[in-house]
Amino acid sequence: MNKLMNAADMVARLKSGMTIGVGGWGPRRKPMALIREILRSDLKDLTIVAYGGADIGMLCAAGKVKKAVYGFVSLDAIPVEPYFRKARQAGGLEVMEVDEGQLLVGLRAAGQRLPFLPTRVGLGTDVMKYNPGFKTVTSPYDDGEVLLAMPAINLDVALVHADRGDKLGNTQSEGPDTYFDEVFVRAAETAYVSCEEVYDRLDAAHSDTARANLFERYLVAGIIHAPYGAHPSSYPARYGWDMDHFKKYAASAAEEDGWAKYMAEFIAGGEDAYLEKIGGPDRVKSLKLPIF
Amino acid sequence: MTQASEFSLAELLVVATSEAWRGNGEVLASGIGPIPRLGASLAKLTHTPELLMTDSEAFLVEDPIPLGPRGDYRPKFSGSMNFARVFDCVWGGKRHVMIGPVQIDRWGQTNLSCIGDFHKPKVQQLGVRGLPGNSINHLNSMFIVNHSARVFVPGEVDVVGGVGYNPDRWPPGVKRDFVDLRLIVTNLCVMDFGGPEHAIQVASLHPGVTFEEVQAATGFPLLKSPSIKTTEGPTDEQLAIIRRLDPHNIRATVIKDNPPGIR
């Protein structure tokens, strides 16, 4: 069993029209190397489910998103993701906008192979109006409370970024938060994990940090070696976000052909060229975590 | 304790926002943005020490963390409050958040999603974020730096993200018991939901502001609290705490030209 592959192998297994869940949170630990490989591909008509950041923004800019499912799309210090804003304001982007916790409930329902899970979240708001398919259920117990039956958000594929992976599909993700990567992976038919480091066997190499394993290897179809693969988002256990890069990216959204230029400058040449372009490993390693 | 002789409007607002958390007990105090965060921190360091707070990222702290670059200061963590636990906390009702929505209506409904038509927004904002879950589960307050009829809209907000007290929005059988809107602190006044049917009323006017000015800057009719008073400025003790919590004077950048507290 060898699940090591490169990002192009992964893209070859994806199909236009798929529903893809992306781990990470806003500008934190996004599997951006995998997103960039999708941007280099012919894939289109994708449904993207995420705690959105530049993943949704870039895929919208490239015209690859049919539908976005999100609670927010933000780069934190740049509050509204610039290309997401552009796509929304142009009209025509199909969306399922829900509370961030509702997204979690829907993904958990999918991971548990349930049609829905009950929640109060969303009731009384326009989330109900703009998601006319959402239905309520009445508690069968004495309280008789009416609750939202949050439908399962079933994913074809989940993409997440981790510290370490091995040939078998085991992974470890360090840092203070999981960003619900494990919930995305469980909600999906299968998952691809980009990793800062890859090994033959994690039990041999990093037995001591097995607690950082977030999900079982039977959920993982591919491990992709992608050092600094979360850039320009942060990997809090390793490097901060690249706000200078995000600012440049955001500025491109206001320029004529801004996306085409960004794509040509940073993405089209492949990941080795990308890393070179952003200043190499030393620069990424030196990126500081934000202080609030 | 007497009011300090000189203070900025931002400093008065820190004190006014801190009142939102008074007596809340052991709940997570989340102040979104510099003024509400300073307000929550001040509350914890003065009248309500049992509040829980975070480092604004993933950990619980017992000493509120100063704003901005920390120099040699190293936060000490007492526990974890990663995103999964934030949802557990929210759904369990153990939180009081103060947010800055882009619109608020007379029912206390809030919008952070977009301005204009949802299907083709005039201005896309953040999305509904956590507003639906926060507002239906725990205590909520709001902070508005520029009180105007663009924020306090005449009808309903463009996209209802946070629930409020509009009876038309509540189908039979849906539990509203946990909805508890507390304060709206603005650059002009402090309002609460103490009127009939939770109607918004002006609880205090900042020094030099009249009720008529507030009404003119609000898109719906306001009530005057029977006990309406002048918002209290900070004491010297409170000012010292605020300065310690905000060593880079970020509070001075929140309101245009950083006006004085007494106008």
Side-chain angles (χ1 to χ4, degrees):
Chain A
M1 195 157 66
N2 185 355
K3 294 180 182 172
L4 296 186
M5 59 173 67
N6 60 40
D9 298 331
M10 176 203 77
V11 163
R13 296 197 195 180
L14 305 182
K15 293 190 190 71
S16 292
M18 274 187 164
T19 297
I20 299 178
V22 186
W25 180 284
R28 293 171 182 80
R29 201 164 78 192
K30 286 286 175 183
M32 293 308 294
L34 303 183
I35 298 297
R36 283 188 287 272
E37 196 60 25
I38 293 174
L39 291 167
R40 295 178 197 114
S41 77
D42 294 331
L43 291 168
K44 58 180 169 54
D45 295 329
L46 303 172
T47 293
I48 304 295
V49 182
Y51 291 105
D55 48 352
I56 288 186
M58 289 186 187
L59 292 167
C60 282
K64 296 198 174 294
V65 184
K66 180 170 162 270
K67 182 176 181 182
V69 180
Y70 60 90
F72 61 84
V73 186
S74 173
L75 302 175
D76 267 39
I78 302 169
V80 185
E81 214 289 342
Y83 282 100
F84 167 72
R85 170 174 267 176
K86 212 171 168 174
R88 282 284 284 143
Q89 292 178 188
L93 176 67
E94 209 181 312
V95 302
M96 177 173 137
E97 183 174 305
V98 293
D99 176 275
E100 25 190 82
Q102 259 183 306
L103 194 64
L104 176 58
V105 173
L107 290 167
R108 281 195 175 144
Q112 295 168 29
R113 303 183 294 174
L114 292 168
F116 69 88
L117 279 170
T119 179
R120 290 190 188 100
V121 179
L123 295 170
T125 75
D126 276 337
V127 167
M128 301 302 285
K129 177 173 165 188
Y130 296 120
N131 295 287
F134 286 8
K135 295 186 175 4
T136 57
V137 284
T138 303
S139 166
Y141 299 103
D142 290 345
D143 57 271
E145 184 177 350
V146 172
L147 297 158
L148 168 61
M150 180 62 200
I153 302 172
N154 294 295
L155 308 175
D156 292 311
V157 166
L159 309 179
V160 302
H161 188 66
D163 274 276
R164 297 176 280 273
D166 72 11
K167 282 183 176 171
L168 302 175
N170 295 300
T171 58
Q172 295 181 356
S173 306
E174 304 280 2
D177 211 309
T178 73
Y179 310 115
F180 305 107
D181 284 1
E182 72 283 16
V183 183
F184 280 91
V185 168
R186 284 185 202 288
E189 287 293 320
T190 194
Y192 297 91
V193 186
S194 56
C195 297
E196 297 280 335
E197 300 162 11
V198 295
Y199 296 88
D200 282 346
R201 297 261 305 240
L202 270 178
D203 56 345
H206 282 281
S207 176
D208 51 328
T209 46
R211 202 170 182 273
N213 172 245
L214 300 182
F215 41 83
E216 304 82 71
R217 63 176 161 76
Y218 57 70
L219 296 160
V220 177
I223 298 284
I224 295 112
H225 188 210
Y228 314 102
H231 184 276
S233 72
S234 65
Y235 194 156
R238 290 173 177 260
Y239 43 88
W241 60 43
D242 192 344
M243 205 36 76
D244 288 342
H245 187 90
F246 274 137
K247 281 181 184 157
K248 190 171 177 173
Y249 162 74
S252 78
E255 293 165 24
E256 185 111 0
D257 296 328
W259 173 250
K261 286 181 198 156
Y262 180 87
M263 187 71 196
E265 184 177 358
F266 290 103
I267 297 178
E271 281 303 290
D272 290 346
Y274 178 83
L275 192 55
E276 195 69 25
K277 217 50 200 162
I278 58 172
D282 287 345
R283 178 157 176 283
V284 181
K285 277 188 275 189
S286 74
L287 292 168
K288 297 269 183 291
L289 282 169
I291 299 287
F292 296 101
Chain B
M1 217 63 81
T2 54
Q3 188 168 293
S5 53
E6 241 179 273
F7 52 87
S8 68
L9 178 58
E11 287 158 348
L12 173 137
L13 295 180
V14 172
V15 175
T17 54
S18 89
E19 286 300 314
W21 286 280
R22 183 184 286 274
N24 285 180
E26 284 187 277
V27 300
L28 180 65
S30 304
I32 312 296
I35 300 284
R37 179 169 151 197
L38 286 169
S41 303
L42 183 65
K44 180 165 171 57
L45 288 172
T46 55
H47 52 73
T48 309
E50 59 274 27
L51 291 169
L52 284 76
M53 289 190 72
T54 74
D55 67 340
S56 304
E57 188 69 29
F59 294 105
L60 287 164
V61 297
E62 296 299 344
D63 298 320
I65 295 182
L67 270 61
R70 289 170 196 164
D72 293 333
Y73 181 87
R74 292 285 172 274
K76 290 192 178 72
F77 302 136
S78 54
S80 169
M81 190 47 78
N82 55 35
F83 288 120
R85 282 180 59 173
V86 171
F87 289 129
D88 289 338
C89 166
V90 168
W91 297 338
K94 295 291 185 186
R95 185 169 182 241
H96 184 170
V97 68
M98 183 179 284
I99 59 159
V102 295
Q103 293 177 325
I104 302 174
D105 63 29
R106 71 188 68 194
W107 300 280
Q109 300 177 134
T110 47
N111 176 18
L112 200 57
S113 172
C114 69
I115 301 293
D117 176 10
F118 181 80
H119 299 290
K120 193 182 181 217
K122 188 160 156 255
V123 184
Q124 176 65 36
Q125 298 284 345
L126 289 172
V128 294
R129 279 222 79 148
L131 267 53
N134 293 346
S135 57
I136 204 167
N137 278 303
H138 60 60
L139 303 178
N140 280 261
S141 290
M142 302 141 209
F143 175 71
I144 297 297
V145 75
N146 194 4
H147 192 131
S148 77
R150 288 161 63 99
V151 177
F152 294 98
V153 293
E156 278 196 308
V157 293
D158 291 359
V159 178
V160 175
V163 302
Y165 299 112
N166 182 358
D168 296 343
R169 286 271 170 182
W170 293 94
V174 173
K175 196 177 179 76
R176 303 152 65 171
D177 306 17
F178 301 135
V179 180
D180 194 344
L181 307 181
R182 292 293 175 95
L183 296 186
I184 307 173
V185 178
T186 80
N187 58 321
L188 298 182
C189 66
V190 177
M191 298 181 281
D192 63 28
F193 292 83
E197 318 272 302
H198 303 285
I200 295 176
Q201 62 178 9
V202 179
S204 72
L205 294 160
H206 302 340
V209 177
T210 65
F211 180 81
E212 289 67 31
E213 276 174 73
V214 176
Q215 180 61 78
T218 306
F220 50 84
L222 285 171
L223 298 173
K224 209 186 275 192
S225 163
S227 56
I228 191 167
K229 54 184 182 165
T230 302
T231 314
E232 280 178 40
T235 63
D236 287 330
E237 185 208 4
Q238 287 170 323
L239 267 186
I241 294 172
I242 292 167
R243 286 182 190 128
R244 181 168 69 72
L245 289 169
D246 182 21
H248 307 289
N249 204 16
I250 291 169
R251 64 193 180 283
T253 65
V254 172
I255 310 167
K256 194 173 176 293
D257 301 330
N258 192 29
I262 297 176
R263 285 172 274 196

